[in-house]
Amino acid sequence: MKLVSGVFAALVIATLAACGGTDSGDVAEELGQSSSALSTCSAACASGLSVSCSGSSCSSVDGQYVQCDGLYHYCPLPPPPCTKANTCTFIDGTSCASPGAERQCCLSGLPTGGCYCKFDNTWTCTLPPDGP
């Protein structure tokens, strides 16, 4: 019976050693080897703003996007031209297709306003303090 127990114990130890079960130092070393330095990339956008991100790898294209670890961050769209059709007072209350959607609008001749599509499919927009 002692011979069978000894053989069984030797078999268990050999199996653990083959699977890496008896060596505890390798795990910490492998974790240390998997960490790397972060890189930061940025792209200049046409609006004058910039987008940037950090990751283990990154790339950028000015005027378009920056990419870190496979995730893209795009330059914001330029504001719409300030025409009557893009004024906040003209858009406010009109119908929209997708509740939750947002769009820019012109407020007092500047592209500084915004509109939000409400649950009832109508736009609610920033309005000048003196009203429409």
Side-chain angles (χ1 to χ4, degrees):
M1 186 70 169
K2 284 186 178 185
L3 181 60
V4 173
S5 298
V7 170
F8 181 74
L11 183 60
V12 169
I13 292 173
T15 303
L16 285 174
C19 294
T22 61
D23 189 8
S24 63
D26 289 344
V27 174
E29 289 175 18
E30 287 176 17
L31 290 176
Q33 291 173 356
S34 66
S35 66
S36 61
L38 290 178
S39 299
T40 300
C41 288
S42 62
C45 300
S47 64
L49 301 174
S50 65
V51 289
S52 62
C53 64
S54 297
S56 58
S57 66
C58 65
S59 63
S60 64
V61 175
D62 279 341
Q64 294 185 22
Y65 65 86
V66 64
Q67 176 269 128
C68 291
D69 297 333
L71 296 175
Y72 287 80
H73 304 273
Y74 293 94
C75 284
L77 295 173
C82 287
T83 62
K84 178 176 169 77
N86 285 327
T87 59
C88 300
T89 54
F90 182 80
I91 298 168
D92 190 60
T94 62
S95 64
C96 53
S98 302
E102 296 180 13
R103 67 174 285 182
Q104 294 178 326
C105 63
C106 297
L107 186 63
S108 302
L110 300 172
T112 55
C115 299
Y116 176 80
C117 185
K118 298 186 301 183
F119 69 92
D120 65 353
N121 293 78
T122 59
W123 290 111
T124 183
C125 301
T126 307
L127 295 175
D130 54 328

